[in-house]
């Protein structure tokens, strides 16, 4: 086999592998959307039906009109949006400030702080469930969205600080010193010099925080009891009964729940890719 033929064969093999990975990742999403538009007799069947033979909007209409547990589906979407957006905004502020302090200043226990961030990331979230539950209840935040927001910020903050630290450290100090010489204050230097350069990394970490808070279920199940405060993942559990499961309703609500995440990702995908690449190269 000639070198050119081997090169082409390797190229075709890589393309085939990429297509296989793509299909493997997309198939669950496709099956969710397809099931949302299948009638019950096509869902509860032993035959393999990759596409709806008789598409219907019954499940989608039922989710919109009847809601879940006596509340409109829009209430749960709003609660999820409040938790996710607040987690992103507040977490981004704390993460950027902490990352700047770790990257720019030398202080005692700095290395210990960084190691602690890694240790926190390695601890399963389920192991923190009881301590966080007791803390939230003692602070009077049980059964409130603010308690869930605080927990989500705590879960996403270590990763955000660790990742943003690389971006801040990659910005030359000479730029900040030049701004100081020109008479800029520390706040002006931070806002007009440092912040624009680390913005791609901030977008990348914000996407991680948004998806984590939007899809979080275990802490929402533990910390929220009032149905009016349920987030979408928690509300989906009502479709699962003791003797039967409304798969059509689950898939319809899950499809609706996926749309905001998809829109958010499409809006910031360019900055996310540039941020991840910049972090890999500069780090």
């Amino acid at each position: 086999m000639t070198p050119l033929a081997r090169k082409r064969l390797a190229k075709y093999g890589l393309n085939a592998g990429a297509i296989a990975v793509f299909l493997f990742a997309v198939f669950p999403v496709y099956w969710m959307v397809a099931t949302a538009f299948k009638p019950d007799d096509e869902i509860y069947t032993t035959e393999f039906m990759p596409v709806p033979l008789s598409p219907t909007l019954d499940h989608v209409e039922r989710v919109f009109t009847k809601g879940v547990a006596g509340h409109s589906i829009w209430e749960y979407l709003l609660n999820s949006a409040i938790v996710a957006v607040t987690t992103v905004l507040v977490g981004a502020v704390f993460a950027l400030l902490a990352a700047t302090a770790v990257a720019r200043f030398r202080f005692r226990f700095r290395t210990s702080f960084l190691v602690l961030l890694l240790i926190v990331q390695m601890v399963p979230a389920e192991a923190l469930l009881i301590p966080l539950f007791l803390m939230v209840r003692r602070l009077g935040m049980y059964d409130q969205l603010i308690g869930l927001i605080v927990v989500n910020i705590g879960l996403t903050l270590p990763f955000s600080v660790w990742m943003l630290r690389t971006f801040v450290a990659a910005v030359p100090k000479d730029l900040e010193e030049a701004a100081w010489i020109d008479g800029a204050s520390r706040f002006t230097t931070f806002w007009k010099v440092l912040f624009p350069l680390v913005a791609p990394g901030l977008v990348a970490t914000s996407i991680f925080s948004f998806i984590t808070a939007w899809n979080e279920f275990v802490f929402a199940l533990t910390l929220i009891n009032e149905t009016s405060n349920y987030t979408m993942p928690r509300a989906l559990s009502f479709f699962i009964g003791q003797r039967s499961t409304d798969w059509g309703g689950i898939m319809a609500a899950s499809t609706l729940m996926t749309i905001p995440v998809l829109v958010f990702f499409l809006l910031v995908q360019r900055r996310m890719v540039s941020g991840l690449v910049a972090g890999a190269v500069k780090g």
Side-chain angles (χ1 to χ4, degrees), residues 154-172:
L155 294 176
T156 58
L157 202 55
F159 173 82
S160 300
V161 173
W162 185 266
M163 187 171 182
L164 282 175
R165 167 185 165 272
T166 304
F167 287 88
V168 176
V171 178

mmCIF file of all heavy atoms in Angstrom, residues 154-172:
data_model
loop_
_atom_site.group_PDB
_atom_site.id
_atom_site.type_symbol
_atom_site.label_atom_id
_atom_site.label_comp_id
_atom_site.label_asym_id
_atom_site.label_seq_id
_atom_site.Cartn_x
_atom_site.Cartn_y
_atom_site.Cartn_z
ATOM 1 N N GLY A 154 -21.751 26.841 45.369
ATOM 2 C CA GLY A 154 -20.674 26.120 46.044
ATOM 3 C C GLY A 154 -20.172 24.926 45.244
ATOM 4 O O GLY A 154 -18.977 24.608 45.266
ATOM 5 N N LEU A 155 -21.070 24.273 44.507
ATOM 6 C CA LEU A 155 -20.668 23.107 43.716
ATOM 7 C C LEU A 155 -19.882 23.487 42.471
ATOM 8 O O LEU A 155 -18.997 22.748 42.033
ATOM 9 C CB LEU A 155 -21.907 22.298 43.314
ATOM 10 C CG LEU A 155 -22.693 21.627 44.448
ATOM 11 C CD1 LEU A 155 -23.939 20.949 43.901
ATOM 12 C CD2 LEU A 155 -21.816 20.620 45.184
ATOM 13 N N THR A 156 -20.204 24.617 41.870
ATOM 14 C CA THR A 156 -19.558 25.013 40.614
ATOM 15 C C THR A 156 -18.354 25.930 40.815
ATOM 16 O O THR A 156 -17.540 26.078 39.900
ATOM 17 C CB THR A 156 -20.570 25.727 39.698
ATOM 18 O OG1 THR A 156 -21.109 26.876 40.380
ATOM 19 C CG2 THR A 156 -21.717 24.797 39.343
ATOM 20 N N LEU A 157 -18.236 26.538 41.984
ATOM 21 C CA LEU A 157 -17.180 27.526 42.201
ATOM 22 C C LEU A 157 -15.761 26.955 42.117
ATOM 23 O O LEU A 157 -14.887 27.589 41.500
ATOM 24 C CB LEU A 157 -17.402 28.219 43.541
ATOM 25 C CG LEU A 157 -16.758 29.599 43.714
ATOM 26 C CD1 LEU A 157 -17.191 30.535 42.601
ATOM 27 C CD2 LEU A 157 -17.120 30.189 45.066
ATOM 28 N N PRO A 158 -15.462 25.789 42.703
ATOM 29 C CA PRO A 158 -14.081 25.288 42.623
ATOM 30 C C PRO A 158 -13.575 25.114 41.197
ATOM 31 O O PRO A 158 -12.454 25.529 40.869
ATOM 32 C CB PRO A 158 -14.162 23.945 43.366
ATOM 33 C CG PRO A 158 -15.304 24.102 44.296
ATOM 34 C CD PRO A 158 -16.295 24.940 43.569
ATOM 35 N N PHE A 159 -14.380 24.512 40.326
ATOM 36 C CA PHE A 159 -13.975 24.334 38.935
ATOM 37 C C PHE A 159 -13.790 25.680 38.243
ATOM 38 O O PHE A 159 -12.831 25.879 37.482
ATOM 39 C CB PHE A 159 -15.010 23.505 38.185
ATOM 40 C CG PHE A 159 -14.756 23.407 36.708
ATOM 41 C CD1 PHE A 159 -13.857 22.483 36.200
ATOM 42 C CD2 PHE A 159 -15.423 24.246 35.827
ATOM 43 C CE1 PHE A 159 -13.615 22.394 34.837
ATOM 44 C CE2 PHE A 159 -15.200 24.172 34.458
ATOM 45 C CZ PHE A 159 -14.291 23.235 33.965
ATOM 46 N N SER A 160 -14.701 26.616 38.488
ATOM 47 C CA SER A 160 -14.620 27.924 37.840
ATOM 48 C C SER A 160 -13.360 28.673 38.267
ATOM 49 O O SER A 160 -12.677 29.282 37.441
ATOM 50 C CB SER A 160 -15.869 28.748 38.184
ATOM 51 O OG SER A 160 -17.040 28.096 37.735
ATOM 52 N N VAL A 161 -13.044 28.633 39.563
ATOM 53 C CA VAL A 161 -11.840 29.322 40.052
ATOM 54 C C VAL A 161 -10.591 28.694 39.451
ATOM 55 O O VAL A 161 -9.672 29.403 39.007
ATOM 56 C CB VAL A 161 -11.785 29.270 41.591
ATOM 57 C CG1 VAL A 161 -10.455 29.823 42.102
ATOM 58 C CG2 VAL A 161 -12.939 30.049 42.192
ATOM 59 N N TRP A 162 -10.540 27.384 39.441
ATOM 60 C CA TRP A 162 -9.349 26.699 38.920
ATOM 61 C C TRP A 162 -9.141 26.998 37.437
ATOM 62 O O TRP A 162 -8.026 27.193 36.981
ATOM 63 C CB TRP A 162 -9.485 25.194 39.146
ATOM 64 C CG TRP A 162 -8.258 24.428 38.756
ATOM 65 C CD1 TRP A 162 -8.015 23.840 37.564
ATOM 66 C CD2 TRP A 162 -7.087 24.222 39.555
ATOM 67 N NE1 TRP A 162 -6.774 23.259 37.562
ATOM 68 C CE2 TRP A 162 -6.185 23.482 38.773
ATOM 69 C CE3 TRP A 162 -6.728 24.579 40.847
ATOM 70 C CZ2 TRP A 162 -4.947 23.080 39.255
ATOM 71 C CZ3 TRP A 162 -5.495 24.188 41.322
ATOM 72 C CH2 TRP A 162 -4.620 23.455 40.537
ATOM 73 N N MET A 163 -10.209 27.018 36.664
ATOM 74 C CA MET A 163 -10.087 27.269 35.231
ATOM 75 C C MET A 163 -9.760 28.728 34.945
ATOM 76 O O MET A 163 -8.908 29.033 34.101
ATOM 77 C CB MET A 163 -11.388 26.877 34.523
ATOM 78 C CG MET A 163 -11.295 26.950 33.009
ATOM 79 S SD MET A 163 -12.740 26.228 32.206
ATOM 80 C CE MET A 163 -12.280 26.439 30.468
ATOM 81 N N LEU A 164 -10.418 29.656 35.640
ATOM 82 C CA LEU A 164 -10.162 31.071 35.395
ATOM 83 C C LEU A 164 -8.765 31.479 35.849
ATOM 84 O O LEU A 164 -8.191 32.436 35.309
ATOM 85 C CB LEU A 164 -11.206 31.923 36.122
ATOM 86 C CG LEU A 164 -12.579 32.019 35.448
ATOM 87 C CD1 LEU A 164 -13.545 32.791 36.331
ATOM 88 C CD2 LEU A 164 -12.458 32.682 34.087
ATOM 89 N N ARG A 165 -8.231 30.764 36.820
ATOM 90 C CA ARG A 165 -6.878 31.073 37.276
ATOM 91 C C ARG A 165 -5.872 30.994 36.123
ATOM 92 O O ARG A 165 -4.942 31.807 36.029
ATOM 93 C CB ARG A 165 -6.485 30.103 38.389
ATOM 94 C CG ARG A 165 -5.013 30.110 38.740
ATOM 95 C CD ARG A 165 -4.695 29.041 39.757
ATOM 96 N NE ARG A 165 -3.263 28.800 39.833
ATOM 97 C CZ ARG A 165 -2.604 27.947 39.078
ATOM 98 N NH1 ARG A 165 -3.270 27.239 38.174
ATOM 99 N NH2 ARG A 165 -1.304 27.776 39.204
ATOM 100 N N THR A 166 -6.055 30.042 35.222
ATOM 101 C CA THR A 166 -5.160 29.897 34.072
ATOM 102 C C THR A 166 -5.242 31.109 33.153
ATOM 103 O O THR A 166 -4.218 31.595 32.658
ATOM 104 C CB THR A 166 -5.522 28.623 33.285
ATOM 105 O OG1 THR A 166 -5.481 27.504 34.154
ATOM 106 C CG2 THR A 166 -4.563 28.415 32.130
ATOM 107 N N PHE A 167 -6.443 31.610 32.932
ATOM 108 C CA PHE A 167 -6.618 32.760 32.051
ATOM 109 C C PHE A 167 -6.008 34.017 32.660
ATOM 110 O O PHE A 167 -5.359 34.810 31.965
ATOM 111 C CB PHE A 167 -8.097 32.984 31.768
ATOM 112 C CG PHE A 167 -8.696 31.967 30.844
ATOM 113 C CD1 PHE A 167 -9.231 30.792 31.334
ATOM 114 C CD2 PHE A 167 -8.722 32.183 29.483
ATOM 115 C CE1 PHE A 167 -9.780 29.857 30.490
ATOM 116 C CE2 PHE A 167 -9.264 31.256 28.618
ATOM 117 C CZ PHE A 167 -9.801 30.084 29.119
ATOM 118 N N VAL A 168 -6.234 34.215 33.951
ATOM 119 C CA VAL A 168 -5.696 35.412 34.606
ATOM 120 C C VAL A 168 -4.170 35.359 34.629
ATOM 121 O O VAL A 168 -3.497 36.368 34.375
ATOM 122 C CB VAL A 168 -6.257 35.535 36.036
ATOM 123 C CG1 VAL A 168 -5.629 36.724 36.752
ATOM 124 C CG2 VAL A 168 -7.772 35.683 36.005
ATOM 125 N N ALA A 169 -3.612 34.184 34.911
ATOM 126 C CA ALA A 169 -2.158 34.053 34.957
ATOM 127 C C ALA A 169 -1.529 34.264 33.587
ATOM 128 O O ALA A 169 -0.353 34.655 33.497
ATOM 129 C CB ALA A 169 -1.781 32.674 35.506
ATOM 130 N N ALA A 170 -2.296 34.009 32.517
ATOM 131 C CA ALA A 170 -1.745 34.156 31.165
ATOM 132 C C ALA A 170 -1.684 35.620 30.719
ATOM 133 O O ALA A 170 -1.005 35.936 29.736
ATOM 134 C CB ALA A 170 -2.577 33.345 30.181
ATOM 135 N N VAL A 171 -2.387 36.503 31.402
ATOM 136 C CA VAL A 171 -2.356 37.932 31.040
ATOM 137 C C VAL A 171 -1.076 38.548 31.576
ATOM 138 O O VAL A 171 -0.809 38.498 32.781
ATOM 139 C CB VAL A 171 -3.578 38.665 31.617
ATOM 140 C CG1 VAL A 171 -3.506 40.153 31.289
ATOM 141 C CG2 VAL A 171 -4.867 38.048 31.078
ATOM 142 N N PRO A 172 -0.237 39.117 30.727
ATOM 143 C CA PRO A 172 1.030 39.714 31.205
ATOM 144 C C PRO A 172 0.788 40.834 32.214
ATOM 145 O O PRO A 172 -0.093 41.675 32.037
ATOM 146 C CB PRO A 172 1.666 40.260 29.915
ATOM 147 C CG PRO A 172 1.012 39.503 28.802
ATOM 148 C CD PRO A 172 -0.391 39.227 29.266
#
